[in-house]
Amino acid sequence: MAAVVVRKARDLLKRADLAKAPRRLRHKKKWAATEPKFPATRLALQNFDMTYSVQFGELWPSIRVSLLSEQKYGALVNNFGAWDHVSAELEQLNARDFVTKAHAHGEQEPESSQTSAPSPASWTCSPNLRCFTFTRGDVCRFPPARLGSLGVMDYYLMDAASLLPALALGLQPGDTVLDLCAAPGGKTLALLQTGCCRNLAANDLSTSRTGRLQKILHSYVPQDIRDRSRVRVTSWDGRKWGELEGDTYDRVLVDVPCTTDRHSLHEEENNIFQRSRKKERQILPMLQVQLLAAGLLATKPGGHVVYSTCSLSHLQNEYVVQGAIELLANQYSIEVRVEDLTHFRKLFMDTFSFFPSCQVGELVIPNLMANFGPMYFCKMCRLT
């Protein structure tokens, strides 16, 4: 009897203790499920620290602090405005046209240094592009672009490294051009600035992003130029472009969706490292391979494709290029050659910091003295 009383007394004491205990301690599983979550920017940094410290080794601390610091911009001069007057104003700010300077430097190289250079097709730049930057170590900012005397904006502010894929594409007069993942529109605008596009198709799956692209085109390109270049803006699934318009284009730019490394470290909005987008992030390389393969299928035999990302990840860069080339060889018996951009890198090494050990293509890495990028780009030629 005494034992029963003691047992009941213990039960009463336990119930009393539970009543006093905070609810969160009595339901540990529920409490764990609702614990505070890290912001996406912090998750991105943790991910980069784990992966990029291995990929880049001793270079990673420098790249890391640069990514977390303020980005540098370039001013792409609008050739459809009063470009000579705008260029003079930018020069008064002590900015310089890095494209023109690179061309002048390339022309001054002694002939002996040209003997081992790759074929001209691999490093010929798209013409007529003017982009001003401040010199290394100069952290000045450009004033916001304004409406010029001819009714279009004077210049477009962008990461100057984003111009390199458009330059590498090597447009020639009369080319038919596809920008497969065009929004928000900086590279599309650059392609139009060359004056080489007989037809330009600008596509992006997101209708909201193509809306932003349309606004940029209307702000920078006169209507008659848009009509003359036959600019077509669409919101189709880029993975199916090879089926829709195969063997059609002379030049194709495939600037794929990626982890947008710098954006992911600074912005919570539309951050791919949000927990809800984990699966989307994991399948990114597969999507990128499909888009690049579609771009290559849309290219005429003998045409050129430039693949680009704003990510440092070799899984989204070199591995995607190699995967797409293997896919076309195995499934379509199409041969693709990667072009050597070594000479191209030398042209622009005064402005950008390049990673020296890419397996294929070139990678601009952020550096505090030249805080552009990241920007990966690789040029390919479809042979068959």
Side-chain angles (χ1 to χ4, degrees), residues 20-103:
K20 294 177 183 178
R23 184 176 179 82
R24 62 184 179 88
L25 297 180
R26 284 184 281 146
H27 298 275
K28 291 185 179 179
K29 288 185 179 180
K30 184 176 181 181
W31 174 248
T34 57
E35 65 181 347
K37 296 179 179 179
F38 292 138
T41 51
R42 183 172 173 185
L43 292 174
L45 184 59
Q46 289 178 346
N47 180 282
F48 296 161
D49 280 336
M50 285 189 295
T51 57
Y52 293 158
S53 59
V54 176
Q55 182 178 335
F56 293 100
E58 61 183 13
L59 286 177
W60 172 236
S62 171
I63 297 172
R64 185 185 194 270
V65 71
S66 302
L67 277 172
L68 293 170
S69 302
E70 185 175 352
Q71 180 180 15
K72 288 189 72 171
Y73 284 87
L76 175 65
V77 176
N78 188 2
N79 290 334
F80 305 123
W83 62 266
D84 49 350
H85 175 69
V86 174
S87 297
E89 287 187 339
L90 293 172
E91 287 173 355
Q92 290 178 356
L93 298 175
N94 293 323
R96 55 174 185 135
D97 178 1
F98 80 87
V99 181
T100 302
K101 181 183 177 183
H103 287 318

Coordinates of all heavy atoms in Angstrom, one line a residue, residues 20-103:
K20 N 5.0 23.4 -14.7 CA 5.8 24.6 -14.6 C 6.8 24.8 -15.7 O 7.2 25.9 -16.0 CB 6.7 24.5 -13.3 CG 5.8 24.5 -12.0 CD 6.7 24.3 -10.8 CE 5.9 24.2 -9.5 NZ 6.8 23.9 -8.3
A21 N 7.1 23.7 -16.4 CA 8.1 23.8 -17.5 C 7.5 24.6 -18.7 O 6.4 24.4 -19.0 CB 8.5 22.4 -17.9
P22 N 8.4 25.4 -19.3 CA 7.9 26.1 -20.5 C 7.5 25.1 -21.6 O 8.0 24.0 -21.7 CB 9.2 26.9 -21.0 CG 10.1 26.9 -19.8 CD 9.8 25.7 -19.0
R23 N 6.5 25.6 -22.4 CA 5.9 24.7 -23.4 C 7.0 24.2 -24.4 O 7.0 23.1 -24.9 CB 4.8 25.4 -24.1 CG 4.1 24.6 -25.2 CD 2.9 25.3 -25.8 NE 2.2 24.6 -26.8 CZ 1.3 23.6 -26.5 NH1 1.0 23.4 -25.2 NH2 0.7 23.0 -27.5
R24 N 7.9 25.1 -24.7 CA 8.9 24.8 -25.7 C 9.8 23.6 -25.3 O 10.4 22.9 -26.1 CB 9.8 26.0 -26.0 CG 10.6 26.5 -24.9 CD 11.3 27.8 -25.3 NE 12.1 28.4 -24.2 CZ 13.3 28.1 -23.9 NH1 14.0 27.1 -24.6 NH2 14.0 28.7 -22.9
L25 N 10.0 23.4 -24.0 CA 10.8 22.3 -23.5 C 10.0 21.0 -23.4 O 10.6 20.0 -23.3 CB 11.4 22.7 -22.1 CG 12.3 23.9 -22.1 CD1 12.8 24.1 -20.6 CD2 13.5 23.7 -23.0
R26 N 8.7 21.1 -23.4 CA 7.9 19.9 -23.3 C 7.6 19.3 -24.7 O 7.1 18.2 -24.8 CB 6.6 20.2 -22.6 CG 6.7 20.3 -21.1 CD 5.4 20.6 -20.4 NE 4.9 21.9 -20.6 CZ 3.7 22.3 -20.7 NH1 2.7 21.3 -20.8 NH2 3.3 23.5 -20.8
H27 N 7.9 20.1 -25.7 CA 7.6 19.6 -27.1 C 8.9 19.8 -27.9 O 8.9 20.7 -28.7 CB 6.4 20.3 -27.7 CG 5.1 20.0 -26.9 ND1 4.3 18.9 -27.2 CD2 4.5 20.7 -26.0 CE1 3.3 19.0 -26.4 NE2 3.4 20.1 -25.6
K28 N 9.9 19.1 -27.6 CA 11.2 19.4 -28.2 C 11.2 19.3 -29.7 O 11.9 20.0 -30.4 CB 12.2 18.4 -27.6 CG 12.5 18.8 -26.1 CD 13.6 17.9 -25.6 CE 13.9 18.2 -24.1 NZ 15.0 17.4 -23.6
K29 N 10.5 18.3 -30.3 CA 10.5 18.1 -31.7 C 9.9 19.3 -32.4 O 10.4 19.8 -33.4 CB 9.7 16.9 -32.1 CG 10.4 15.6 -31.7 CD 9.7 14.4 -32.3 CE 10.4 13.1 -31.9 NZ 9.7 11.9 -32.4
K30 N 8.8 19.8 -31.9 CA 8.1 21.0 -32.5 C 9.0 22.2 -32.3 O 9.1 23.0 -33.3 CB 6.8 21.2 -31.8 CG 6.0 22.4 -32.4 CD 4.6 22.5 -31.8 CE 3.9 23.7 -32.5 NZ 2.6 23.9 -31.9
W31 N 9.7 22.4 -31.2 CA 10.6 23.5 -31.0 C 11.7 23.5 -32.0 O 12.1 24.4 -32.6 CB 11.1 23.5 -29.6 CG 12.1 24.5 -29.3 CD1 13.4 24.3 -29.0 CD2 11.9 25.9 -29.2 NE1 14.1 25.5 -28.8 CE2 13.2 26.5 -28.9 CE3 10.8 26.7 -29.4 CZ2 13.3 27.9 -28.8 CZ3 11.0 28.1 -29.2 CH2 12.2 28.6 -28.9
A32 N 12.3 22.3 -32.2 CA 13.4 22.1 -33.1 C 13.0 22.5 -34.6 O 13.7 23.0 -35.3 CB 14.0 20.7 -33.1
A33 N 11.7 22.1 -34.9 CA 11.2 22.4 -36.2 C 11.0 23.9 -36.5 O 11.0 24.3 -37.6 CB 10.0 21.6 -36.5
T34 N 10.8 24.6 -35.4 CA 10.6 26.1 -35.6 C 11.7 26.9 -35.2 O 11.5 28.1 -34.8 CB 9.3 26.5 -34.9 OG1 9.5 26.1 -33.5 CG2 8.1 25.7 -35.4
E35 N 12.9 26.4 -35.1 CA 14.1 27.2 -34.6 C 14.4 28.3 -35.7 O 14.0 28.1 -36.9 CB 15.3 26.3 -34.4 CG 15.8 25.6 -35.7 CD 16.9 24.7 -35.5 OE1 17.5 24.8 -34.4 OE2 17.3 23.9 -36.3
P36 N 15.0 29.3 -35.3 CA 15.3 30.4 -36.2 C 16.2 29.9 -37.4 O 17.1 29.1 -37.2 CB 16.1 31.4 -35.3 CG 15.7 31.1 -33.9 CD 15.4 29.7 -33.9
K37 N 15.9 30.4 -38.6 CA 16.7 30.0 -39.8 C 17.7 31.0 -40.2 O 17.4 32.2 -40.1 CB 15.7 29.7 -40.9 CG 14.7 28.5 -40.6 CD 13.8 28.3 -41.8 CE 12.8 27.2 -41.5 NZ 11.9 27.0 -42.6
F38 N 18.8 30.5 -40.7 CA 19.8 31.4 -41.2 C 19.4 32.2 -42.4 O 18.6 31.6 -43.3 CB 21.1 30.7 -41.5 CG 21.8 30.1 -40.3 CD1 22.3 28.8 -40.4 CD2 21.9 30.8 -39.2 CE1 23.0 28.3 -39.3 CE2 22.6 30.3 -38.1 CZ 23.1 29.0 -38.1
P39 N 19.7 33.4 -42.6 CA 19.4 34.1 -43.9 C 20.1 33.4 -45.0 O 21.2 32.8 -44.9 CB 19.9 35.5 -43.6 CG 20.9 35.4 -42.5 CD 20.5 34.3 -41.7
A40 N 19.6 33.6 -46.2 CA 20.1 32.9 -47.4 C 21.5 33.4 -47.7 O 22.4 32.7 -48.2 CB 19.2 33.2 -48.6
T41 N 21.8 34.7 -47.4 CA 23.2 35.2 -47.7 C 24.2 34.5 -46.8 O 25.3 34.2 -47.3 CB 23.2 36.7 -47.4 OG1 22.7 37.0 -46.1 CG2 22.4 37.5 -48.4
R42 N 23.8 34.2 -45.6 CA 24.7 33.5 -44.7 C 24.9 32.0 -45.2 O 26.0 31.5 -45.1 CB 24.2 33.5 -43.3 CG 25.1 32.8 -42.3 CD 24.7 33.1 -40.8 NE 25.4 32.3 -39.9 CZ 25.1 32.3 -38.6 NH1 24.1 33.0 -38.1 NH2 25.9 31.6 -37.7
L43 N 23.8 31.4 -45.6 CA 23.9 30.0 -46.1 C 24.8 30.0 -47.4 O 25.6 29.1 -47.6 CB 22.6 29.5 -46.5 CG 21.6 29.2 -45.3 CD1 20.2 28.8 -45.8 CD2 22.2 28.2 -44.4
A44 N 24.7 31.1 -48.2 CA 25.6 31.1 -49.4 C 27.0 31.2 -49.0 O 27.9 30.5 -49.6 CB 25.2 32.4 -50.2
L45 N 27.3 32.1 -48.0 CA 28.7 32.2 -47.6 C 29.3 30.9 -47.1 O 30.4 30.5 -47.4 CB 28.9 33.3 -46.6 CG 30.3 33.7 -46.2 CD1 31.2 34.1 -47.4 CD2 30.3 34.8 -45.1
Q46 N 28.5 30.2 -46.3 CA 28.9 28.9 -45.7 C 29.2 27.9 -46.9 O 30.2 27.2 -46.8 CB 27.8 28.4 -44.8 CG 27.7 29.1 -43.5 CD 26.6 28.6 -42.6 OE1 25.8 27.8 -43.1 NE2 26.6 29.0 -41.3
N47 N 28.3 27.9 -47.9 CA 28.5 27.0 -49.0 C 29.8 27.4 -49.8 O 30.6 26.5 -50.1 CB 27.3 27.1 -49.9 CG 27.4 26.2 -51.1 OD1 28.1 26.5 -52.1 ND2 26.7 25.1 -51.1
F48 N 30.0 28.6 -50.0 CA 31.2 29.1 -50.7 C 32.5 28.8 -50.0 O 33.5 28.3 -50.5 CB 31.1 30.6 -51.0 CG 30.0 30.9 -52.0 CD1 29.5 32.3 -52.0 CD2 29.3 30.0 -52.8 CE1 28.5 32.6 -52.9 CE2 28.3 30.3 -53.6 CZ 27.9 31.7 -53.7
D49 N 32.4 29.0 -48.7 CA 33.6 28.7 -47.8 C 34.0 27.2 -47.9 O 35.2 26.8 -48.0 CB 33.3 29.0 -46.4 CG 33.5 30.5 -46.1 OD1 34.2 31.2 -46.9 OD2 32.9 31.0 -45.2
M50 N 33.0 26.3 -48.0 CA 33.3 24.9 -48.0 C 33.8 24.5 -49.4 O 34.7 23.7 -49.5 CB 32.0 24.1 -47.7 CG 31.6 24.1 -46.2 SD 30.3 22.9 -45.9 CE 28.9 23.7 -46.8
T51 N 33.2 25.0 -50.5 CA 33.5 24.5 -51.8 C 34.7 25.3 -52.4 O 35.6 24.7 -53.0 CB 32.3 24.6 -52.7 OG1 31.8 25.9 -52.7 CG2 31.2 23.7 -52.2
Y52 N 34.6 26.6 -52.3 CA 35.6 27.4 -53.0 C 37.0 27.4 -52.3 O 38.0 27.6 -52.9 CB 35.1 28.8 -53.2 CG 34.0 29.0 -54.1 CD1 33.1 30.1 -54.1 CD2 33.7 28.0 -55.1 CE1 32.0 30.2 -54.9 CE2 32.6 28.1 -55.9 CZ 31.8 29.2 -55.8 OH 30.7 29.3 -56.7
S53 N 37.0 27.2 -51.0 CA 38.3 27.1 -50.3 C 39.1 25.9 -50.8 O 40.3 25.9 -50.9 CB 38.1 26.9 -48.8 OG 37.3 25.8 -48.5
V54 N 38.4 24.8 -51.3 CA 39.0 23.6 -51.9 C 39.4 24.0 -53.3 O 40.5 23.7 -53.8 CB 38.1 22.4 -51.8 CG1 38.7 21.2 -52.5 CG2 37.8 22.1 -50.3
Q55 N 38.5 24.6 -54.1 CA 38.7 24.8 -55.5 C 39.8 25.8 -55.7 O 40.6 25.7 -56.7 CB 37.4 25.3 -56.1 CG 37.4 25.6 -57.6 CD 36.1 26.0 -58.2 OE1 35.0 25.8 -57.6 NE2 36.1 26.7 -59.3
F56 N 39.9 26.9 -54.9 CA 40.8 28.0 -55.2 C 42.0 28.0 -54.2 O 42.9 28.7 -54.4 CB 40.1 29.3 -55.1 CG 39.1 29.5 -56.3 CD1 37.7 29.3 -56.0 CD2 39.5 29.8 -57.5 CE1 36.8 29.4 -57.1 CE2 38.6 30.0 -58.6 CZ 37.3 29.8 -58.3
G57 N 41.9 27.2 -53.1 CA 43.1 27.1 -52.2 C 43.4 28.5 -51.6 O 42.6 29.2 -51.1
E58 N 44.7 28.8 -51.7 CA 45.2 30.1 -51.1 C 44.6 31.3 -51.7 O 44.7 32.4 -51.1 CB 46.7 30.1 -51.2 CG 47.3 30.1 -52.5 CD 48.8 30.1 -52.6 OE1 49.4 29.8 -51.5 OE2 49.4 30.3 -53.6
L59 N 44.0 31.2 -52.9 CA 43.4 32.4 -53.5 C 42.0 32.8 -52.9 O 41.6 33.9 -53.0 CB 43.2 32.2 -55.0 CG 44.4 32.2 -55.9 CD1 44.0 31.9 -57.4 CD2 45.1 33.6 -55.9
W60 N 41.4 31.8 -52.2 CA 40.0 32.0 -51.8 C 39.9 33.2 -50.8 O 38.9 34.0 -50.9 CB 39.4 30.7 -51.2 CG 38.1 30.9 -50.5 CD1 37.8 30.6 -49.2 CD2 36.9 31.5 -51.1 NE1 36.5 31.0 -49.0 CE2 35.9 31.5 -50.1 CE3 36.6 32.1 -52.3 CZ2 34.7 32.0 -50.3 CZ3 35.3 32.6 -52.5 CH2 34.4 32.6 -51.5
P61 N 40.8 33.3 -49.8 CA 40.6 34.5 -48.8 C 40.5 35.8 -49.6 O 39.7 36.7 -49.2 CB 41.8 34.4 -47.9 CG 42.2 32.9 -47.9 CD 41.9 32.5 -49.3
S62 N 41.3 36.0 -50.6 CA 41.3 37.3 -51.3 C 40.0 37.4 -52.1 O 39.4 38.5 -52.2 CB 42.5 37.3 -52.3 OG 42.5 38.4 -53.2
I63 N 39.6 36.3 -52.8 CA 38.4 36.3 -53.6 C 37.2 36.6 -52.6 O 36.3 37.4 -52.9 CB 38.2 35.0 -54.3 CG1 39.3 34.8 -55.3 CG2 36.8 35.0 -55.0 CD1 39.3 33.4 -56.0
R64 N 37.2 36.0 -51.5 CA 36.1 36.1 -50.5 C 35.9 37.5 -50.0 O 34.8 38.0 -50.1 CB 36.4 35.2 -49.3 CG 35.3 35.1 -48.3 CD 35.8 34.3 -47.1 NE 34.8 33.8 -46.2 CZ 34.3 34.5 -45.1 NH1 34.9 35.7 -44.8 NH2 33.4 34.1 -44.4
V65 N 37.0 38.2 -49.6 CA 36.9 39.5 -49.1 C 36.4 40.5 -50.3 O 35.7 41.4 -50.0 CB 38.2 40.0 -48.5 CG1 39.3 40.3 -49.5 CG2 37.9 41.3 -47.6
S66 N 36.8 40.2 -51.5 CA 36.4 41.0 -52.6 C 35.0 40.8 -52.9 O 34.3 41.8 -53.2 CB 37.3 40.6 -53.9 OG 38.7 40.8 -53.6
L67 N 34.5 39.6 -52.9 CA 33.1 39.3 -53.1 C 32.2 40.1 -52.1 O 31.1 40.5 -52.4 CB 32.8 37.8 -53.0 CG 33.0 37.0 -54.3 CD1 32.9 35.5 -54.0 CD2 32.1 37.4 -55.4
L68 N 32.7 40.2 -50.9 CA 31.9 40.8 -49.8 C 32.1 42.3 -49.8 O 31.4 43.0 -49.1 CB 32.4 40.3 -48.4 CG 32.0 38.8 -48.2 CD1 32.7 38.3 -46.9 CD2 30.5 38.6 -48.1
S69 N 32.9 42.8 -50.7 CA 33.2 44.3 -50.8 C 32.4 44.9 -51.9 O 31.8 44.2 -52.7 CB 34.7 44.6 -51.0 OG 35.4 44.0 -49.9
E70 N 32.4 46.2 -52.0 CA 31.6 46.9 -53.0 C 32.1 46.6 -54.4 O 33.3 46.6 -54.7 CB 31.6 48.4 -52.8 CG 30.7 49.2 -53.8 CD 30.7 50.6 -53.4 OE1 31.2 51.1 -52.4 OE2 30.1 51.4 -54.3
Q71 N 31.2 46.3 -55.3 CA 31.5 45.9 -56.7 C 31.9 47.1 -57.5 O 31.4 48.2 -57.3 CB 30.3 45.2 -57.3 CG 30.5 44.7 -58.7 CD 29.3 44.0 -59.2 OE1 28.2 44.1 -58.6 NE2 29.4 43.3 -60.3
K72 N 32.8 46.9 -58.5 CA 33.1 48.0 -59.4 C 32.2 47.9 -60.7 O 31.8 46.7 -61.0 CB 34.6 48.0 -59.9 CG 35.5 48.4 -58.8 CD 36.9 48.6 -59.4 CE 37.1 49.8 -60.3 NZ 38.5 50.0 -60.7
Y73 N 32.0 49.0 -61.3 CA 31.1 49.0 -62.5 C 31.8 49.6 -63.7 O 32.8 50.3 -63.6 CB 29.8 49.7 -62.2 CG 28.8 49.0 -61.4 CD1 28.8 49.0 -60.0 CD2 27.9 48.2 -62.0 CE1 27.9 48.3 -59.2 CE2 26.9 47.4 -61.3 CZ 27.0 47.5 -59.9 OH 26.1 46.8 -59.1
G74 N 31.3 49.3 -64.9 CA 31.7 49.9 -66.1 C 30.6 50.6 -66.7 O 29.4 50.3 -66.4
A75 N 30.9 51.6 -67.6 CA 29.9 52.4 -68.3 C 29.9 52.0 -69.8 O 30.9 52.5 -70.4 CB 30.0 53.9 -68.1
L76 N 29.0 51.2 -70.2 CA 28.9 50.9 -71.7 C 28.3 52.0 -72.4 O 27.1 52.4 -72.2 CB 28.1 49.6 -71.8 CG 27.8 49.2 -73.3 CD1 29.1 48.8 -74.0 CD2 26.8 48.0 -73.3
V77 N 29.0 52.7 -73.3 CA 28.6 53.9 -74.0 C 27.5 53.5 -75.0 O 27.7 52.5 -75.7 CB 29.7 54.6 -74.7 CG1 29.2 55.8 -75.5 CG2 30.7 55.1 -73.6
N78 N 26.4 54.2 -75.1 CA 25.3 53.9 -76.0 C 25.7 54.5 -77.4 O 25.6 55.8 -77.6 CB 24.0 54.5 -75.5 CG 22.8 54.1 -76.3 OD1 23.0 53.3 -77.3 ND2 21.6 54.6 -75.9
N79 N 26.0 53.7 -78.3 CA 26.3 54.2 -79.7 C 25.1 54.8 -80.4 O 25.4 55.5 -81.4 CB 26.9 53.0 -80.5 CG 28.2 52.6 -80.0 OD1 29.0 53.3 -79.4 ND2 28.5 51.3 -80.3
F80 N 23.9 54.6 -79.9 CA 22.8 55.2 -80.5 C 22.5 56.6 -80.0 O 21.5 57.2 -80.4 CB 21.5 54.3 -80.3 CG 21.8 52.9 -80.8 CD1 21.6 51.8 -80.0 CD2 22.2 52.7 -82.1 CE1 21.8 50.5 -80.4 CE2 22.4 51.4 -82.6 CZ 22.2 50.3 -81.7
G81 N 23.3 57.1 -79.1 CA 23.2 58.4 -78.6 C 24.4 59.3 -79.1 O 25.1 58.9 -80.0
A82 N 24.7 60.4 -78.4 CA 25.8 61.2 -78.7 C 27.1 60.6 -78.1 O 27.6 61.2 -77.1 CB 25.6 62.6 -78.3
W83 N 27.5 59.5 -78.6 CA 28.6 58.7 -78.0 C 29.9 59.4 -77.9 O 30.6 59.2 -76.9 CB 28.8 57.4 -78.8 CG 29.3 57.6 -80.2 CD1 28.5 57.6 -81.3 CD2 30.6 57.7 -80.6 NE1 29.3 57.8 -82.4 CE2 30.6 57.9 -82.0 CE3 31.9 57.7 -79.9 CZ2 31.8 58.0 -82.7 CZ3 33.0 57.9 -80.7 CH2 33.0 58.1 -82.1
D84 N 30.2 60.3 -78.8 CA 31.5 61.0 -78.8 C 31.5 62.0 -77.6 O 32.5 62.2 -76.9 CB 31.8 61.7 -80.1 CG 30.6 62.5 -80.6 OD1 29.5 62.4 -80.0 OD2 30.8 63.3 -81.6
H85 N 30.3 62.7 -77.4 CA 30.2 63.7 -76.3 C 30.2 62.9 -75.0 O 30.9 63.4 -74.0 CB 28.9 64.5 -76.5 CG 28.6 65.4 -75.4 ND1 29.4 66.5 -75.1 CD2 27.7 65.3 -74.4 CE1 28.9 67.1 -74.1 NE2 27.9 66.4 -73.6
V86 N 29.5 61.8 -74.9 CA 29.5 61.0 -73.7 C 30.9 60.5 -73.3 O 31.3 60.5 -72.2 CB 28.5 59.9 -73.8 CG1 28.5 59.0 -72.6 CG2 27.1 60.4 -74.0
S87 N 31.6 60.0 -74.3 CA 32.9 59.5 -74.1 C 33.9 60.6 -73.5 O 34.7 60.3 -72.6 CB 33.5 58.9 -75.4 OG 32.8 57.8 -75.9
A88 N 33.7 61.8 -74.1 CA 34.6 62.9 -73.6 C 34.2 63.2 -72.1 O 35.1 63.5 -71.3 CB 34.3 64.1 -74.5
E89 N 32.9 63.2 -71.8 CA 32.5 63.4 -70.4 C 33.1 62.3 -69.4 O 33.5 62.7 -68.3 CB 31.0 63.5 -70.3 CG 30.4 64.7 -70.9 CD 28.9 64.8 -70.6 OE1 28.3 63.7 -70.3 OE2 28.4 65.9 -70.6
L90 N 33.1 61.1 -69.9 CA 33.6 60.0 -69.0 C 35.1 60.1 -68.9 O 35.6 59.8 -67.8 CB 33.2 58.7 -69.6 CG 31.7 58.3 -69.6 CD1 31.4 57.1 -70.4 CD2 31.2 58.2 -68.2
E91 N 35.8 60.6 -69.9 CA 37.2 60.8 -69.8 C 37.6 61.9 -68.8 O 38.6 61.8 -68.1 CB 37.8 61.1 -71.2 CG 37.8 59.9 -72.1 CD 38.3 60.3 -73.5 OE1 38.4 61.5 -73.8 OE2 38.4 59.4 -74.4
Q92 N 36.7 62.9 -68.7 CA 36.9 63.9 -67.7 C 36.8 63.4 -66.3 O 37.3 64.1 -65.4 CB 35.9 65.1 -68.0 CG 36.2 65.9 -69.3 CD 35.1 66.9 -69.5 OE1 34.2 67.1 -68.7 NE2 35.3 67.7 -70.6
L93 N 36.1 62.3 -66.1 CA 36.0 61.7 -64.8 C 37.3 60.8 -64.5 O 37.3 60.2 -63.4 CB 34.8 60.8 -64.7 CG 33.4 61.5 -64.9 CD1 32.3 60.5 -64.9 CD2 33.2 62.5 -63.8
N94 N 38.2 60.8 -65.4 CA 39.4 60.0 -65.3 C 39.1 58.5 -65.5 O 39.9 57.6 -65.0 CB 40.2 60.2 -64.0 CG 40.8 61.6 -63.9 OD1 41.3 62.1 -64.9 ND2 40.7 62.2 -62.7
A95 N 38.0 58.2 -66.2 CA 37.7 56.8 -66.6 C 38.4 56.6 -68.0 O 38.7 57.5 -68.7 CB 36.2 56.6 -66.7
R96 N 38.5 55.3 -68.3 CA 39.2 55.0 -69.6 C 38.4 53.9 -70.3 O 37.8 53.0 -69.6 CB 40.6 54.5 -69.4 CG 40.7 53.4 -68.4 CD 42.0 52.8 -68.3 NE 41.9 51.6 -67.4 CZ 42.5 50.5 -67.6 NH1 43.2 50.3 -68.7 NH2 42.4 49.5 -66.8
D97 N 38.4 53.9 -71.6 CA 37.7 52.9 -72.4 C 38.6 51.7 -72.5 O 39.6 51.6 -73.2 CB 37.4 53.4 -73.8 CG 36.8 52.4 -74.7 OD1 36.5 51.3 -74.2 OD2 36.5 52.8 -75.9
F98 N 38.3 50.7 -71.7 CA 39.2 49.5 -71.6 C 39.3 48.7 -72.8 O 40.2 48.0 -73.1 CB 38.9 48.7 -70.3 CG 37.8 47.7 -70.5 CD1 37.9 46.4 -71.0 CD2 36.5 48.1 -70.1 CE1 36.9 45.5 -71.2 CE2 35.4 47.2 -70.2 CZ 35.6 45.9 -70.8
V99 N 38.2 48.7 -73.6 CA 38.1 48.0 -74.9 C 39.1 48.6 -75.9 O 39.9 47.9 -76.5 CB 36.7 47.9 -75.4 CG1 36.6 47.1 -76.7 CG2 35.7 47.3 -74.4
T100 N 38.9 49.9 -76.1 CA 39.8 50.6 -77.1 C 41.3 50.4 -76.7 O 42.2 50.2 -77.5 CB 39.4 52.0 -77.2 OG1 38.1 52.1 -77.6 CG2 40.3 52.8 -78.2
K101 N 41.5 50.6 -75.4 CA 42.9 50.4 -74.9 C 43.5 49.0 -75.2 O 44.6 48.9 -75.6 CB 43.0 50.7 -73.4 CG 44.4 50.7 -72.8 CD 44.4 50.9 -71.3 CE 45.8 50.7 -70.8 NZ 45.9 50.9 -69.3
A102 N 42.6 48.0 -75.0 CA 43.1 46.6 -75.2 C 43.4 46.4 -76.7 O 44.4 45.8 -77.0 CB 42.0 45.7 -74.7
H103 N 42.6 46.9 -77.6 CA 42.8 46.8 -79.0 C 44.1 47.5 -79.4 O 44.9 46.9 -80.2 CB 41.7 47.4 -79.8 CG 40.4 46.5 -79.8 ND1 40.4 45.2 -79.9 CD2 39.1 46.9 -79.6 CE1 39.2 44.7 -79.8 NE2 38.4 45.7 -79.7

